[in-house]
């Protein structure tokens, strides 16, 4: 436990910081006036800047949330940075602090700008004092957006984003004031403030005011000049047209190509993968982050959506997504959101599409009956099913279509989007031991391995008569069954039991842990989802060197198998995100499937760390290994040395 000892030292340094920032007994803090007291307890402290305890922050907004209050409470720090919440009953509370020019702060976190902080445990009648909330001065990124001639561009949309990996997928998350998005002024200037220390991508895209901007060609200019040079005399010598105007000497030449400003990432990349990160330090400004927009040829993508039998589907959702675009990357397209509507004739148009390779995806509901039993209320006896004679049309998207389209500045017409029936997964739910009666209502899902614009959305179902279920409308892709825990009574007993999914077996594979590939035209049947009223559990306590309950730590449990380190898929039911200790230093992880696990302590973490294999490798190296059989309960205490 050498690594754990290092963690303990870091935790003690945090405790010393809190103790050093106490509120003087002679001072009168600003008090919560948010309603009648509900208990004799209180929490008070001071807001300071990152420059140290001697630099209080006045007029900061301090918010309190917790298990003992239904609505958050808010107070404003006084001239000495002090705050207090009174009338509190026992419970667990968290404090978040905001002030313009600073980064949102989470009390107790080693890096104050990163959630979560360390909750405050309040016993009945207890008064917590000397709570210190540290505000970090925000960094700034500023610069100019110019055209290809070096002239300033006004009303250009600028975004500052942080790259994160969530569930194995790269995403861009907006950061800073105004949600990380603002527009340039008349000088082409932008300024994003309130940034936490870190590395950011800066991108800019114009707000398109027209869908038909065209670049004038030399032929068009020459033709127009010739018309002017002819003069009225030349026109008169050739008579007039039926419209009363002299006819031109020659037909007008072909119009120039449609163009639009393409989004650009600093220092000039056309997509996020080629962008340069801008590093921000606490309270400092990175100025001069300038870059230029340039015109690119655009085109329209037009087409029609149809059913295999030639009819027009309803409730169509359709999108055009650049290949390789990151989630949250709404600068990836030129001037539109990559979504459009479909008219009653099934026609659609995407305008001003920039060069690139796109994936056109679409979902729709067939409106055909036959799946309605999955949506009915429970019938007498507690089981779900369709009442006799009922056959409403399904409104759940059960059709899909996907086409790859290349755009090179020329219009793409007559795109035919032919919908196909989605695939299905069906089977039965069984219960080990004394099955509950009536069967509980529960939601099973097919969770996609990767998120996309429209396709591979989770399919949801309910077990029906005799515990049968069906999940339908699935597009091709890789999925894992999601089967959440539920509570229900057992036959012949008046008590309620906790039921946890043990397995989802199909062809010798457990689909709770292993993704299954859904292919076009392939339905999967005879899946057996087994629920059990016993599950593995790990409990324990974290004690200091004197045997007293430790505090200020997060404890986490995650699978030892690196293939299951994805929070969003196969590792989800085995992964327990870091949680704070109880006041007595205890922790508990329940509803665990059998397997090998890593138990570890943290003094600090960032949410995106949990999807970072490099971070988990470090934590795993300093963790305690625990093996659990089905239903096994183990106690693992940790004493810090």
């Amino acid at each position: 436990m050498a690594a754990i000892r290092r963690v303990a030292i870091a935790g003690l340094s945090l405790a010393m910081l809190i103790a050093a920032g106490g509120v003087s007994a002679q001072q009168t803090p600003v008090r919560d006036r948010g309603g009648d007291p509900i208990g004799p307890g209180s929490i008070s402290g001071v807001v300071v800047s990152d420059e140290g305890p001697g630099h209080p922050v006045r007029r900061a907004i301090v918010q309190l949330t917790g298990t003992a209050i239904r609505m958050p409470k808010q107070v404003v720090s006084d001239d000495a940075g002090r705050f207090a919440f009174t009338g509190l009953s026992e419970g667990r509370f968290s404090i978040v602090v905001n002030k313009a020019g600073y980064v949102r702060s989470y009390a107790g976190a080693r890096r104050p700008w990163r959630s979560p902080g360390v909750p405050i445990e309040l016993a009945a009648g207890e008064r917590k004092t000397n709570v210190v909330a540290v505000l970090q001065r925000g960094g700034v990124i500023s610069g100019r957006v110019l055209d290809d001639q070096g002239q300033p561009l006004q009303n250009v949309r600028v975004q500052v984003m942080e790259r994160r990996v969530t569930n194995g997928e790269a995403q861009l998350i907006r950061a800073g004031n105004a949600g990380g998005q603002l527009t340039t002024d008349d000088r082409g200037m932008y300024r994003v403030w309130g940034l936490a220390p870190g590395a950011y991508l800066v991108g800019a895209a114009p707000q398109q005011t027209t869908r038909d901007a065209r670049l004038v060609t030399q032929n068009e200019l020459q033709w127009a000049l010739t018309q002017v040079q002819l003069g009225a005399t030349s026109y008169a010598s050739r008579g007039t047209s039926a419209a009363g105007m002299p006819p031109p000497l020659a037909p007008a030449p072909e119009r120039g190509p449609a163009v639009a400003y393409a989004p650009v990432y600093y220092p000039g990349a056309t997509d996020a993968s080629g962008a340069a990160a801008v590093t921000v330090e606490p309270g400092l400004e990175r100025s001069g982050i300038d870059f230029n927009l340039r015109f690119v040829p655009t085109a329209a993508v037009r087409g029609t959506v149809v059913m295999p039998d030639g009819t027009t589907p309803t409730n169509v959702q359709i999108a055009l997504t650049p290949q390789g675009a990151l989630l949250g990357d709404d600068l990836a397209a030129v001037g539109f959101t990559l979504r459009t509507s479909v008219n009653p004739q099934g026609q659609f148009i995407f305008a001003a599409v920039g060069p690139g390779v796109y994936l056109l995806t679409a979902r729709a509901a067939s409106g055909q009956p036959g799946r309605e039993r999955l949506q009915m209320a429970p019938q007498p006896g507690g089981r779900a099913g369709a009442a006799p004679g009922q056959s409403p049309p399904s409104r759940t998207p059960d059709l899909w279509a996907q086409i790859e389209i290349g755009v090179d500045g020329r219009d793409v017409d007559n795109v035919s989007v032919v919908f196909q029936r989605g695939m299905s997964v069906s089977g039965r739910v069984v219960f080990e031991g004394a099955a509950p009666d009536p069967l509980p209502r529960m939601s099973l899902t097919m969770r996609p391995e990767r998120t996309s614009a429209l396709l591979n959305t989770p399919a949801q179902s309910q077990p029906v008569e005799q515990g049968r279920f069906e999940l339908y409308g699935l597009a091709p892709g890789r999925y894992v069954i999601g089967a959440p825990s539920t509570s229900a009574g057992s036959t012949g007993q008046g008590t309620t039991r906790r039921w946890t999914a043990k397995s989802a077996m199909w062809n010798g594979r457990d689909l709770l842990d292993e993704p299954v590939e859904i292919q076009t035209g392939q339905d999967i049947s005879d899946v057996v989802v087994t629920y059990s009223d016993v599950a593995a559990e790990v409990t324990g306590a974290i004690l200091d060197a004197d045997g007293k309950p430790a505090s200020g730590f997060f404890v986490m449990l995650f699978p030892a198998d690196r293939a299951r380190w994805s929070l969003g898929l196969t590792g989800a039911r085995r992964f327990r995100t870091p949680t704070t200790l109880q006041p007595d230093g205890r922790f508990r992880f329940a509803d665990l499937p059998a397997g090998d696990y890593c138990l570890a302590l943290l003094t600090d973490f960032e949410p995106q760390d949990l999807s970072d294999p490099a971070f988990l490798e470090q934590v795993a190296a300093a963790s305690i290994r625990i093996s659990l059989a089905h239903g096994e309960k183990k106690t693992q205490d940790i004493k810090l040395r």
Side-chain angles (χ1 to χ4, degrees):
M1 295 298 296
I4 298 296
R5 288 199 296 271
R6 290 196 293 271
V7 170
I9 293 173
L12 290 175
S13 66
L14 173 61
M16 292 172 62
L17 171 62
I18 294 177
V23 179
S24 170
Q26 288 78 23
Q27 297 174 325
T28 303
V30 177
R31 297 190 177 276
D32 171 31
R33 306 180 188 278
D36 296 331
I38 58 174
S42 65
I43 297 174
S44 60
V46 62
V47 180
V48 300
S49 75
D50 57 307
E51 298 168 302
H55 295 79
V57 179
R58 61 193 296 269
R59 304 298 181 262
I61 299 174
V62 185
Q63 183 181 79
L64 182 77
T65 58
T67 57
I69 53 178
R70 290 179 295 177
M71 297 295 293
K73 294 175 175 286
Q74 281 192 168
V75 297
V76 178
S77 63
D78 65 8
D79 289 342
R82 299 166 298 178
F83 66 89
F85 295 94
T86 59
L88 302 176
S89 62
E90 62 179 316
R92 173 178 290 194
F93 299 88
S94 297
I95 289 178
V96 179
V97 185
N98 289 282
K99 183 176 174 62
Y102 293 84
V103 184
R104 174 179 295 182
S105 173
Y106 301 86
R110 290 186 61 201
R111 286 172 285 188
W113 60 89
R114 292 296 188 191
S115 66
V118 176
I120 300 169
E121 302 287 349
L122 197 67
E126 185 179 8
R127 297 181 179 180
K128 290 277 188 180
T129 60
N130 298 339
V131 174
V132 176
V134 181
L135 276 178
Q136 174 79 59
R137 286 195 176 274
V140 177
I141 294 177
S142 63
R144 301 177 72 197
V145 179
L146 311 169
D147 64 16
D148 53 1
Q149 302 298 315
Q151 297 300 310
L153 289 172
Q154 301 82 29
N155 296 320
V156 173
R157 184 161 47 100
V158 177
Q159 291 183 2
V160 172
M161 295 156 286
E162 185 177 9
R163 189 196 300 267
R164 296 184 185 178
V165 177
T166 302
N167 300 335
E169 294 182 281
Q171 298 188 23
L172 294 180
I173 309 297
R174 296 179 189 173
N177 66 301
Q181 176 173 295
L182 67 163
T183 57
T184 58
D185 62 16
D186 61 312
R187 302 165 296 172
M189 293 287 298
Y190 71 91
R191 189 173 189 271
V192 179
W193 47 267
L195 296 170
Y200 298 90
L201 304 185
V202 184
Q207 302 187 56
Q208 298 294 333
T209 57
T210 177
R211 301 293 189 191
D212 195 31
R214 292 186 175 271
L215 189 66
V216 177
T217 66
Q218 188 63 36
N219 288 340
E220 288 180 287
L221 290 174
Q222 185 61 47
W223 179 86
L225 181 61
T226 301
Q227 300 295 339
V228 173
Q229 290 175 343
L230 289 175
T233 303
S234 177
Y235 276 98
S237 67
R238 294 184 289 112
T240 60
S241 66
M245 294 295 294
L249 286 178
E254 183 179 351
R255 297 177 65 188
V259 294
Y261 280 115
V264 172
Y265 293 86
Y266 176 81
T270 56
D271 60 75
S273 62
V278 179
T279 303
V280 174
E281 297 181 5
L284 299 181
E285 180 169 352
R286 286 293 306 274
S287 59
I289 307 301
D290 305 340
F291 46 105
N292 301 75
L293 297 184
R294 60 184 179 87
F295 279 116
V296 296
T298 63
V301 176
R302 304 181 183 89
T304 306
V305 296
V306 295
M307 292 278 287
D309 59 5
T311 59
T312 301
T314 59
N315 301 323
V316 177
Q317 306 172 56
I318 189 167
L320 198 64
T321 306
Q323 291 278 46
L326 298 179
L327 296 178
D329 181 8
D330 55 3
L331 292 179
V334 178
F336 69 103
T337 62
L338 292 175
R339 293 179 184 267
T340 191
S341 58
V342 176
N343 67 18
Q345 290 73 43
Q347 300 169 332
F348 64 88
I349 179 172
F350 291 98
V353 183
V357 178
Y358 296 82
L359 197 63
L360 188 152
T361 61
R363 295 301 302 262
S366 64
Q368 299 297 316
R371 310 285 187 176
E372 64 279 357
R373 68 181 184 277
L374 303 178
Q375 302 174 13
M376 296 296 98
Q379 300 304 305
R383 292 181 173 89
Q390 289 184 329
S391 184
S394 170
R395 296 183 179 180
T396 302
D398 56 349
L399 305 173
W400 67 274
Q402 183 169 282
I403 301 175
E404 186 177 280
I405 297 175
V407 180
D408 60 1
R410 293 171 292 184
D411 290 353
V412 181
D413 294 315
N414 302 319
V415 176
S416 180
V417 180
V418 181
F419 279 103
Q420 302 182 55
R421 296 282 182 183
M423 283 63 75
S424 67
V425 174
S426 60
R428 57 195 176 96
V429 175
V430 299
F431 294 83
E432 286 187 344
D437 186 17
L439 295 178
R441 295 188 64 182
M442 62 185 70
S443 293
L444 304 181
T445 61
M446 291 297 291
R447 296 180 290 117
E449 185 177 34
R450 289 289 179 263
T451 304
S452 66
L454 289 172
L455 292 180
N456 300 341
T457 53
Q460 184 168 323
S461 170
Q462 292 178 346
V464 290
E465 295 290 344
Q466 287 80 46
R468 302 291 305 181
F469 71 90
E470 182 180 16
L471 303 111
Y472 65 97
L474 296 168
R478 287 165 60 85
Y479 297 83
V480 165
I481 284 185
S485 300
T486 185
S487 296
S490 298
T491 303
Q493 299 182 14
T495 59
T496 298
R497 292 188 178 185
R498 179 77 169 173
W499 296 89
T500 304
K502 178 182 178 182
S503 63
M505 303 304 298
W506 177 75
N507 284 353
R509 300 163 57 187
D510 189 347
L511 302 188
L512 293 177
D513 289 330
E514 185 178 352
V516 60
E517 183 82 27
I518 305 292
Q519 299 180 355
T520 302
Q522 177 195 23
D523 292 331
I524 292 179
S525 59
D526 299 324
V527 178
V528 179
V529 179
T530 301
Y531 273 81
S532 175
D533 57 357
V534 296
E537 178 177 294
V538 176
T539 59
I542 311 300
L543 307 173
D544 62 20
D546 297 326
K548 298 179 180 179
S551 61
F553 297 98
F554 296 93
V555 59
M556 68 180 296
L557 189 77
F558 60 100
D561 184 357
R562 286 157 175 76
R564 293 175 175 170
W565 280 1
S566 171
L567 278 171
L569 197 61
T570 59
R573 70 187 187 122
R574 302 173 184 273
F575 209 117
R576 298 296 185 268
T577 55
T579 183
T580 54
L581 302 173
Q582 298 295 326
D584 59 0
R586 301 199 63 80
F587 62 89
R588 176 175 180 261
F589 296 113
D591 290 347
L592 294 168
D596 297 328
Y597 294 87
C598 296
L599 177 68
L601 287 183
L602 303 174
T603 56
D604 188 29
F605 73 97
E606 298 178 11
Q608 61 266 31
D609 289 340
L610 304 181
S611 297
D612 183 357
F615 173 80
L616 294 178
E617 287 281 3
Q618 295 179 12
V619 177
S623 68
I624 297 174
R625 297 299 178 96
I626 297 177
S627 295
L628 296 173
H630 175 63
E632 184 178 10
K633 293 176 170 52
K634 282 191 175 181
T635 299
Q636 178 65 63
D637 295 338
I638 300 176
K639 188 172 183 179
L640 305 176
R641 297 189 295 273

